Amino acid sequence: MSTTTALRIGHTGLNVTDLDRSLAFYRDVLGFTVIAEGKEEDRRYAFLGEDGRPVLTLWQQADHGYGATGAGLHHLALEVDTVEQVRAYETALRAHGVEFAHEGVVAHREGAASGGIFFHDPDGTRLEISTAHGVEGAPAPSGEAPTCGFF
């Protein structure tokens, strides 16, 4: 095996309790495109992505919501180009009734130019939508510690 080729994340798979509810959230609120679905009685899933390439897969095989204290996924970080795009998502999420971990756009840490919004999906999975710049002067809820680590 050659270790000269760097690994890349191919896609992220999330277990969900209700595929229809999660699909409505990720498709209709966050804007992901459905690439493929399987809706057999005991094997329900959806592949979401762009240009035919999966980015996120939803698997209906969870019997309870996200557990923040268990090992595994800490949060799913999604990125956009501008703080205006972050704010547009914030508006759409608020219209959908999503509760946020922090009020408005926050910095990743004190003095950072990067930051975003932090919230949960219908099963409680922690999500972040952020941008690399344009957040200068925004509050940093965790001070010097990374905001994305503590919500």
Side-chain angles (χ1 to χ4, degrees):
M1 176 174 102
S2 171
T3 58
T4 59
T5 302
L7 292 173
R8 296 180 307 278
I9 301 292
H11 68 273
T12 299
L14 298 177
N15 282 342
V16 300
T17 59
D18 181 329
L19 181 64
D20 294 326
R21 179 182 69 171
S22 292
L23 192 54
F25 178 79
Y26 284 96
R27 179 193 59 218
D28 301 342
V29 181
L30 296 183
F32 282 96
T33 300
V34 177
I35 296 172
E37 286 184 77
K39 290 202 172 187
E40 301 163 10
E41 183 68 29
D42 60 342
R43 296 185 182 263
R44 299 190 69 216
Y45 62 88
F47 284 69
L48 308 172
E50 53 189 40
D51 300 325
R53 186 179 76 80
V55 174
L56 182 66
T57 56
L58 305 175
W59 306 95
Q60 183 174 299
Q61 55 188 12
D63 60 6
H64 61 279
Y66 177 78
T69 60
L73 180 74
H74 180 275
H75 74 285
L76 179 60
L78 306 168
E79 189 173 285
V80 294
D81 294 327
T82 68
V83 71
E84 290 78 20
Q85 290 171 306
V86 172
R87 289 189 176 108
Y89 276 104
E90 178 186 13
T91 298
L93 290 160
R94 286 195 189 283
H96 191 72
V98 170
E99 292 186 30
F100 291 80
H102 309 291
E103 188 56 39
V105 175
V106 297
H108 277 135
R109 64 174 34 131
E110 287 180 6
S114 64
I117 54 176
F118 299 84
F119 57 98
H120 299 85
D121 80 355
D123 281 313
T125 300
R126 295 183 283 205
L127 300 171
E128 165 188 357
I129 297 177
S130 65
T131 186
H133 50 82
V135 183
E136 296 87 353
S142 300
E144 286 293 318
T147 301
C148 61
F150 302 97
F151 75 102

PDB file of all heavy atoms in Angstrom, residues 94-113:
ATOM      1  N   ARG A  94     -34.109  29.175  10.762  1.00  0.00           N
ATOM      2  CA  ARG A  94     -35.038  29.773  11.736  1.00  0.00           C
ATOM      3  C   ARG A  94     -36.477  29.636  11.257  1.00  0.00           C
ATOM      4  O   ARG A  94     -37.372  29.338  12.054  1.00  0.00           O
ATOM      5  CB  ARG A  94     -34.690  31.233  11.988  1.00  0.00           C
ATOM      6  CG  ARG A  94     -33.450  31.400  12.835  1.00  0.00           C
ATOM      7  CD  ARG A  94     -33.299  32.812  13.385  1.00  0.00           C
ATOM      8  NE  ARG A  94     -31.999  32.981  14.014  1.00  0.00           N
ATOM      9  CZ  ARG A  94     -31.676  32.521  15.212  1.00  0.00           C
ATOM     10  NH1 ARG A  94     -32.552  31.859  15.924  1.00  0.00           N
ATOM     11  NH2 ARG A  94     -30.466  32.716  15.706  1.00  0.00           N
ATOM     12  N   ALA A  95     -36.713  29.831   9.956  1.00  0.00           N
ATOM     13  CA  ALA A  95     -38.064  29.682   9.396  1.00  0.00           C
ATOM     14  C   ALA A  95     -38.559  28.253   9.540  1.00  0.00           C
ATOM     15  O   ALA A  95     -39.762  28.005   9.633  1.00  0.00           O
ATOM     16  CB  ALA A  95     -38.073  30.104   7.927  1.00  0.00           C
ATOM     17  N   HIS A  96     -37.639  27.318   9.597  1.00  0.00           N
ATOM     18  CA  HIS A  96     -37.971  25.900   9.770  1.00  0.00           C
ATOM     19  C   HIS A  96     -38.118  25.524  11.250  1.00  0.00           C
ATOM     20  O   HIS A  96     -38.456  24.394  11.577  1.00  0.00           O
ATOM     21  CB  HIS A  96     -36.890  25.042   9.099  1.00  0.00           C
ATOM     22  CG  HIS A  96     -37.238  23.606   8.983  1.00  0.00           C
ATOM     23  ND1 HIS A  96     -38.182  23.122   8.104  1.00  0.00           N
ATOM     24  CD2 HIS A  96     -36.763  22.524   9.647  1.00  0.00           C
ATOM     25  CE1 HIS A  96     -38.279  21.816   8.235  1.00  0.00           C
ATOM     26  NE2 HIS A  96     -37.422  21.423   9.161  1.00  0.00           N
ATOM     27  N   GLY A  97     -37.841  26.475  12.152  1.00  0.00           N
ATOM     28  CA  GLY A  97     -37.997  26.220  13.581  1.00  0.00           C
ATOM     29  C   GLY A  97     -36.799  25.582  14.257  1.00  0.00           C
ATOM     30  O   GLY A  97     -36.907  25.074  15.373  1.00  0.00           O
ATOM     31  N   VAL A  98     -35.647  25.618  13.613  1.00  0.00           N
ATOM     32  CA  VAL A  98     -34.437  25.017  14.182  1.00  0.00           C
ATOM     33  C   VAL A  98     -33.934  25.876  15.339  1.00  0.00           C
ATOM     34  O   VAL A  98     -33.933  27.100  15.261  1.00  0.00           O
ATOM     35  CB  VAL A  98     -33.350  24.882  13.092  1.00  0.00           C
ATOM     36  CG1 VAL A  98     -32.008  24.493  13.685  1.00  0.00           C
ATOM     37  CG2 VAL A  98     -33.788  23.865  12.052  1.00  0.00           C
ATOM     38  N   GLU A  99     -33.500  25.222  16.402  1.00  0.00           N
ATOM     39  CA  GLU A  99     -32.897  25.920  17.542  1.00  0.00           C
ATOM     40  C   GLU A  99     -31.386  25.926  17.371  1.00  0.00           C
ATOM     41  O   GLU A  99     -30.802  24.939  16.934  1.00  0.00           O
ATOM     42  CB  GLU A  99     -33.276  25.231  18.850  1.00  0.00           C
ATOM     43  CG  GLU A  99     -34.743  25.383  19.174  1.00  0.00           C
ATOM     44  CD  GLU A  99     -35.085  24.826  20.543  1.00  0.00           C
ATOM     45  OE1 GLU A  99     -34.210  24.849  21.432  1.00  0.00           O
ATOM     46  OE2 GLU A  99     -36.220  24.373  20.698  1.00  0.00           O
ATOM     47  N   PHE A 100     -30.779  27.030  17.746  1.00  0.00           N
ATOM     48  CA  PHE A 100     -29.340  27.213  17.578  1.00  0.00           C
ATOM     49  C   PHE A 100     -28.614  27.080  18.912  1.00  0.00           C
ATOM     50  O   PHE A 100     -29.147  27.426  19.952  1.00  0.00           O
ATOM     51  CB  PHE A 100     -29.062  28.589  16.962  1.00  0.00           C
ATOM     52  CG  PHE A 100     -29.512  28.677  15.522  1.00  0.00           C
ATOM     53  CD1 PHE A 100     -30.838  28.895  15.207  1.00  0.00           C
ATOM     54  CD2 PHE A 100     -28.603  28.512  14.497  1.00  0.00           C
ATOM     55  CE1 PHE A 100     -31.264  28.946  13.895  1.00  0.00           C
ATOM     56  CE2 PHE A 100     -29.014  28.566  13.174  1.00  0.00           C
ATOM     57  CZ  PHE A 100     -30.341  28.781  12.875  1.00  0.00           C
ATOM     58  N   ALA A 101     -27.363  26.638  18.832  1.00  0.00           N
ATOM     59  CA  ALA A 101     -26.533  26.522  20.031  1.00  0.00           C
ATOM     60  C   ALA A 101     -26.067  27.889  20.514  1.00  0.00           C
ATOM     61  O   ALA A 101     -25.827  28.075  21.699  1.00  0.00           O
ATOM     62  CB  ALA A 101     -25.332  25.625  19.744  1.00  0.00           C
ATOM     63  N   HIS A 102     -25.921  28.848  19.598  1.00  0.00           N
ATOM     64  CA  HIS A 102     -25.475  30.203  19.910  1.00  0.00           C
ATOM     65  C   HIS A 102     -26.361  31.171  19.142  1.00  0.00           C
ATOM     66  O   HIS A 102     -26.914  30.824  18.101  1.00  0.00           O
ATOM     67  CB  HIS A 102     -24.013  30.411  19.510  1.00  0.00           C
ATOM     68  CG  HIS A 102     -23.096  29.355  20.020  1.00  0.00           C
ATOM     69  ND1 HIS A 102     -22.806  29.223  21.360  1.00  0.00           N
ATOM     70  CD2 HIS A 102     -22.422  28.367  19.383  1.00  0.00           C
ATOM     71  CE1 HIS A 102     -21.985  28.200  21.525  1.00  0.00           C
ATOM     72  NE2 HIS A 102     -21.738  27.669  20.342  1.00  0.00           N
ATOM     73  N   GLU A 103     -26.451  32.380  19.607  1.00  0.00           N
ATOM     74  CA  GLU A 103     -27.277  33.385  18.954  1.00  0.00           C
ATOM     75  C   GLU A 103     -26.519  34.013  17.794  1.00  0.00           C
ATOM     76  O   GLU A 103     -25.487  34.650  17.993  1.00  0.00           O
ATOM     77  CB  GLU A 103     -27.704  34.467  19.951  1.00  0.00           C
ATOM     78  CG  GLU A 103     -28.707  35.442  19.404  1.00  0.00           C
ATOM     79  CD  GLU A 103     -29.976  34.790  18.866  1.00  0.00           C
ATOM     80  OE1 GLU A 103     -30.467  33.815  19.473  1.00  0.00           O
ATOM     81  OE2 GLU A 103     -30.477  35.255  17.830  1.00  0.00           O
ATOM     82  N   GLY A 104     -26.999  33.799  16.578  1.00  0.00           N
ATOM     83  CA  GLY A 104     -26.403  34.407  15.398  1.00  0.00           C
ATOM     84  C   GLY A 104     -25.075  33.802  15.005  1.00  0.00           C
ATOM     85  O   GLY A 104     -24.664  32.753  15.487  1.00  0.00           O
ATOM     86  N   VAL A 105     -24.397  34.501  14.103  1.00  0.00           N
ATOM     87  CA  VAL A 105     -23.092  34.067  13.613  1.00  0.00           C
ATOM     88  C   VAL A 105     -22.047  34.341  14.694  1.00  0.00           C
ATOM     89  O   VAL A 105     -21.989  35.438  15.245  1.00  0.00           O
ATOM     90  CB  VAL A 105     -22.730  34.813  12.308  1.00  0.00           C
ATOM     91  CG1 VAL A 105     -21.321  34.456  11.848  1.00  0.00           C
ATOM     92  CG2 VAL A 105     -23.747  34.493  11.214  1.00  0.00           C
ATOM     93  N   VAL A 106     -21.244  33.332  14.999  1.00  0.00           N
ATOM     94  CA  VAL A 106     -20.202  33.464  16.015  1.00  0.00           C
ATOM     95  C   VAL A 106     -18.851  33.072  15.417  1.00  0.00           C
ATOM     96  O   VAL A 106     -18.772  32.324  14.445  1.00  0.00           O
ATOM     97  CB  VAL A 106     -20.500  32.607  17.268  1.00  0.00           C
ATOM     98  CG1 VAL A 106     -21.782  33.071  17.948  1.00  0.00           C
ATOM     99  CG2 VAL A 106     -20.598  31.130  16.918  1.00  0.00           C
ATOM    100  N   ALA A 107     -17.785  33.591  16.025  1.00  0.00           N
ATOM    101  CA  ALA A 107     -16.421  33.287  15.576  1.00  0.00           C
ATOM    102  C   ALA A 107     -16.003  31.900  16.059  1.00  0.00           C
ATOM    103  O   ALA A 107     -16.494  31.405  17.070  1.00  0.00           O
ATOM    104  CB  ALA A 107     -15.457  34.338  16.116  1.00  0.00           C
ATOM    105  N   HIS A 108     -15.086  31.293  15.318  1.00  0.00           N
ATOM    106  CA  HIS A 108     -14.554  29.989  15.732  1.00  0.00           C
ATOM    107  C   HIS A 108     -13.750  30.068  17.021  1.00  0.00           C
ATOM    108  O   HIS A 108     -13.668  29.097  17.757  1.00  0.00           O
ATOM    109  CB  HIS A 108     -13.699  29.372  14.619  1.00  0.00           C
ATOM    110  CG  HIS A 108     -14.523  28.665  13.597  1.00  0.00           C
ATOM    111  ND1 HIS A 108     -14.312  28.822  12.254  1.00  0.00           N
ATOM    112  CD2 HIS A 108     -15.564  27.808  13.707  1.00  0.00           C
ATOM    113  CE1 HIS A 108     -15.174  28.080  11.584  1.00  0.00           C
ATOM    114  NE2 HIS A 108     -15.946  27.457  12.450  1.00  0.00           N
ATOM    115  N   ARG A 109     -13.153  31.215  17.303  1.00  0.00           N
ATOM    116  CA  ARG A 109     -12.454  31.489  18.566  1.00  0.00           C
ATOM    117  C   ARG A 109     -12.214  32.981  18.617  1.00  0.00           C
ATOM    118  O   ARG A 109     -12.394  33.674  17.626  1.00  0.00           O
ATOM    119  CB  ARG A 109     -11.157  30.702  18.699  1.00  0.00           C
ATOM    120  CG  ARG A 109     -10.098  31.046  17.672  1.00  0.00           C
ATOM    121  CD  ARG A 109      -8.772  30.336  17.928  1.00  0.00           C
ATOM    122  NE  ARG A 109      -8.960  29.031  18.472  1.00  0.00           N
ATOM    123  CZ  ARG A 109      -8.404  27.918  18.055  1.00  0.00           C
ATOM    124  NH1 ARG A 109      -7.545  27.960  17.078  1.00  0.00           N
ATOM    125  NH2 ARG A 109      -8.648  26.767  18.610  1.00  0.00           N
ATOM    126  N   GLU A 110     -11.819  33.489  19.753  1.00  0.00           N
ATOM    127  CA  GLU A 110     -11.597  34.932  19.907  1.00  0.00           C
ATOM    128  C   GLU A 110     -10.644  35.453  18.847  1.00  0.00           C
ATOM    129  O   GLU A 110      -9.580  34.876  18.617  1.00  0.00           O
ATOM    130  CB  GLU A 110     -11.037  35.242  21.299  1.00  0.00           C
ATOM    131  CG  GLU A 110     -12.066  35.115  22.384  1.00  0.00           C
ATOM    132  CD  GLU A 110     -11.511  35.420  23.764  1.00  0.00           C
ATOM    133  OE1 GLU A 110     -10.340  35.838  23.881  1.00  0.00           O
ATOM    134  OE2 GLU A 110     -12.258  35.242  24.734  1.00  0.00           O
ATOM    135  N   GLY A 111     -11.053  36.534  18.168  1.00  0.00           N
ATOM    136  CA  GLY A 111     -10.223  37.179  17.165  1.00  0.00           C
ATOM    137  C   GLY A 111     -10.184  36.500  15.813  1.00  0.00           C
ATOM    138  O   GLY A 111      -9.495  36.965  14.910  1.00  0.00           O
ATOM    139  N   ALA A 112     -10.893  35.411  15.629  1.00  0.00           N
ATOM    140  CA  ALA A 112     -10.866  34.682  14.358  1.00  0.00           C
ATOM    141  C   ALA A 112     -11.684  35.391  13.283  1.00  0.00           C
ATOM    142  O   ALA A 112     -12.697  36.024  13.575  1.00  0.00           O
ATOM    143  CB  ALA A 112     -11.400  33.258  14.548  1.00  0.00           C
ATOM    144  N   ALA A 113     -11.260  35.247  12.042  1.00  0.00           N
ATOM    145  CA  ALA A 113     -12.015  35.759  10.899  1.00  0.00           C
ATOM    146  C   ALA A 113     -13.047  34.740  10.444  1.00  0.00           C
ATOM    147  O   ALA A 113     -13.991  35.068   9.730  1.00  0.00           O
ATOM    148  CB  ALA A 113     -11.070  36.084   9.745  1.00  0.00           C
TER     149      ALA A 113
END
